[in-house]
Amino acid sequence: MHLNPYGEDAVKLAADLANHRPATPGELTDRCRAAGLVLERPVTPQDLDRVMTLLDEWEKVVDAPDEHERAELVNRMLAESAAYPRMTDHAGGWHLHYRDDGQPLGAVLFALVSVGTALHLVGRGMHRLRRCAVTECATIFADTSRTGRQRYCSQRCANRDAVRRHRAGRLR
């Protein structure tokens, strides 16, 4: 049983693809499969181009200055990519798709990321998609922490910032 393939996993896949953009259709194929996506057809250069457009649009959502602009950007992505929900069992278990059947991977990912981002933001909080708080790190992450106060993309960045603050405090 698939509970929600459009939630947290879709947003984490989008962050991974945005942080390290795939260079070839083959790399996109490998990374989508590693994320658990069932690919229904070969990935083409056009799919890669569509995913690059998706990631450009999605990064605007990440960098939006306030909730209302973020919601407007996600709503535009949803209007462009999503269809009415439909039940399917193509992957061995019943689940919902928010896209038309038979779409190429670029369109599938656009719908998956758009709906997943919307569900993540309304379900967890509009602030829970951001870039790392370390100034020299631009890594995007989805805050899936219990408290919703994650500021860093990794423990490494959190430690680096703590050391920096500690050293700055000693110099005063």
Side-chain angles (χ1 to χ4, degrees), residues 13-14 16-18 20-25 28-29 31-32 37 43-59 77 104-111 113:
L13 174 61
D16 177 61
L17 293 173
H20 309 285
R21 291 192 176 208
T24 66
L28 179 59
T29 298
R31 291 176 62 197
C32 287
L37 287 182
V43 179
T44 66
Q46 292 79 15
D47 290 322
L48 184 62
D49 291 343
R50 180 74 167 140
V51 169
M52 292 304 128
T53 300
L54 158 65
L55 296 174
D56 290 342
E57 294 299 312
W58 191 73
E59 284 194 42
M77 289 177 68
L105 181 65
V108 169
L109 282 178
F110 210 112
V113 169

Side-chain angles (χ1 to χ4, degrees), residues 9 33 47-48 53 57 71 75 102 109 126 128 131 158-159 166:
D9 292 339
R33 283 189 177 137
D47 290 322
L48 184 62
T53 300
E57 294 299 312
N75 284 338
L109 282 178
M126 291 296 285
R128 294 182 79 162
R131 293 188 187 268
N159 290 342
H166 176 74

Side-chain angles (χ1 to χ4, degrees), residues 18-139:
N19 291 327
H20 309 285
R21 291 192 176 208
T24 66
E27 182 184 351
L28 179 59
T29 298
D30 293 344
R31 291 176 62 197
C32 287
R33 283 189 177 137
L37 287 182
V38 175
L39 303 181
E40 298 173 346
R41 58 179 63 193
V43 179
T44 66
Q46 292 79 15
D47 290 322
L48 184 62
D49 291 343
R50 180 74 167 140
V51 169
M52 292 304 128
T53 300
L54 158 65
L55 296 174
D56 290 342
E57 294 299 312
W58 191 73
E59 284 194 42
K60 291 176 188 174
V61 172
V62 171
D63 296 330
D66 62 59
E67 292 181 354
H68 294 284
E69 184 172 338
R70 182 170 274 185
E72 178 59 34
L73 291 167
V74 172
N75 284 338
R76 277 191 232 151
M77 289 177 68
L78 289 167
E80 183 179 340
S81 65
Y84 64 89
R86 59 182 41 88
M87 293 174 58
T88 182
D89 69 344
H90 73 95
W94 288 102
H95 58 281
L96 289 175
H97 278 182
Y98 292 88
R99 60 177 169 80
D100 294 324
D101 291 331
Q103 296 291 308
L105 181 65
V108 169
L109 282 178
F110 210 112
L112 185 72
V113 169
S114 299
V115 174
T117 300
L119 291 171
H120 176 78
L121 294 174
V122 299
R124 291 192 176 261
M126 291 296 285
H127 66 286
R128 294 182 79 162
L129 182 61
R130 64 177 73 108
R131 293 188 187 268
C132 184
V134 172
T135 305
E136 57 275 358
C137 181
T139 301

